[in-house]
Amino acid sequence: MNTPLSTQAGTQILALTGLRFDANLGILDHEKTAPQPIQVDAELNQGNQPLLPHDDDIGHVLDYRKVRQIIIDECTAEHVNLLESLIGKLTRRLMLLPGVIGVRVKIAKLEIFDDCEVAIRMESGQW
């Protein structure tokens, strides 16, 4: 008996939420001399995938440890003046990962204002 295709595959999205670390970001004098805390949320659309991988080998899937490290590395590589520049750079890098067809990223600066969070979201590719 054949199993319907809809029960064999589905859209797979890898999500990292609430990743916090310090980055050199901003145009204000104090932002240029010291890193500040940011939070990154990322979703990577891997499109239609089998419900079960063909084997249980980490080498055959998108390793979220590597994705986490790429996010940290891209955001801490150098001082960036604008949040818009940083999110574009990160989105472009994540779109280069094998099998990724879409990226959604949010970067929040956590200590800009006492009464709100400042964040930018960017979406690229297929959703």
Side-chain angles (χ1 to χ4, degrees), residues 51-122:
L51 293 182
L52 295 172
H54 72 277
D55 60 28
D56 207 25
D57 184 342
I58 189 68
H60 297 133
V61 297
L62 184 55
D63 187 340
Y64 50 80
R65 297 170 300 175
K66 291 179 182 177
V67 174
R68 177 186 170 274
Q69 195 59 54
I70 287 169
I71 292 169
I72 293 169
D73 291 348
E74 284 293 322
C75 291
T76 60
E78 60 188 357
H79 181 90
V80 177
N81 285 335
L82 300 176
L83 190 53
E84 292 84 351
S85 299
L86 182 61
I87 201 165
K89 182 176 129 177
L90 178 57
T91 300
R92 184 178 57 207
R93 176 63 181 90
L94 294 174
M95 281 295 297
L96 295 174
L97 288 169
V100 172
I101 62 170
V103 170
R104 288 180 177 148
V105 178
K106 173 186 168 190
I107 301 178
K109 294 173 81 171
L110 300 175
E111 295 182 354
I112 297 303
F113 300 113
D114 293 334
D115 58 354
C116 67
E117 170 186 284
V118 175
I120 292 187
R121 294 179 192 268
M122 181 166 276

Side-chain angles (χ1 to χ4, degrees), residues 1 7 12 21 32 42-43 48 55 57 63 65 81 87 115 124:
M1 180 173 169
T7 62
Q12 184 168 303
F21 54 92
K32 291 183 177 184
E43 293 181 307
N48 202 37
D55 60 28
D57 184 342
D63 187 340
R65 297 170 300 175
N81 285 335
I87 201 165
D115 58 354
S124 183

Side-chain angles (χ1 to χ4, degrees), residues 6-59:
S6 63
T7 62
Q8 295 177 18
T11 301
Q12 184 168 303
I13 297 170
L14 183 138
L16 281 84
T17 306
L19 179 57
R20 292 177 180 231
F21 54 92
D22 290 343
N24 293 309
L25 171 66
I27 60 169
L28 303 176
D29 288 340
H30 71 274
E31 293 176 317
K32 291 183 177 184
T33 58
Q36 64 179 292
I38 64 171
Q39 178 174 305
V40 178
D41 299 327
E43 293 181 307
L44 285 69
N45 183 1
Q46 299 171 77
N48 202 37
Q49 298 289 319
L51 293 182
L52 295 172
H54 72 277
D55 60 28
D56 207 25
D57 184 342
I58 189 68

